[in-house]
Amino acid sequence: MTRAQMLVRVRKLCLSLPETDEACPFGDPWFRVLGKMFCCFAEEDGVPCLVVKVGKENLDLFLADPRFFLAPYIGRGGWACLRMPTGKASPVDWEEATALIRESYNRMAPKRLRLAAEL
């Protein structure tokens, strides 16, 4: 899967959630719920990555997995990046990516939206 194909899939997942939109304030596409960022599709060292809020309490758990790294600038706030390499050698686990996006959304969305999305 190419980077462009991944972005299409991430965009579809993110924008399917209630009251979300897309913006590019820092050059990469960020997905927001009511103006609060909950996910970004970026690139690090030529490898696409998914930036999500996992929470400060879970950060060490995610960073123990070599597929994840601390998000630049915002990582200490509980943000991690999941490397999403292109090609067949290491396919993306889209169930995991979807769960990460939904968890990040839940952390940023107001309660009424979390319940509406049944997340």
Side-chain angles (χ1 to χ4, degrees):
M1 181 175 275
T2 67
R3 183 187 192 286
Q5 291 169 323
M6 286 181 188
L7 174 56
V8 167
R9 194 153 181 184
V10 168
R11 181 177 282 132
K12 183 178 178 181
L13 287 167
C14 290
L15 296 179
S16 71
L17 298 168
E19 298 192 43
T20 57
D21 68 1
E22 180 179 345
C24 293
F26 310 111
D28 293 313
W30 275 93
F31 300 94
R32 308 177 304 181
V33 54
L34 298 175
K36 289 182 165 185
M37 293 185 232
F38 71 92
C39 181
C40 178
F41 187 75
E43 193 170 296
E44 185 72 27
D45 296 327
V47 177
C49 58
L50 188 65
V51 185
V52 290
K53 184 155 189 169
V54 297
K56 291 179 186 179
E57 70 280 6
N58 298 319
L59 201 51
D60 289 339
L61 177 69
F62 281 91
L63 297 180
D65 183 328
R67 298 173 304 142
F68 289 88
F69 62 96
L70 190 66
Y73 308 107
I74 59 173
R76 296 289 174 215
W79 292 82
C81 300
L82 169 64
R83 290 178 184 86
M84 301 175 74
T86 57
K88 294 181 181 178
S90 50
V92 174
D93 179 345
W94 285 101
E95 286 183 27
E96 177 183 42
T98 300
L100 289 167
I101 289 169
R102 287 177 175 244
E103 175 61 27
S104 189
Y105 175 88
N106 278 335
R107 289 179 174 277
M108 303 309 290
K111 186 176 182 179
R112 70 177 176 82
L113 292 180
R114 290 191 311 260
L115 294 175
E118 297 179 349
L119 302 176

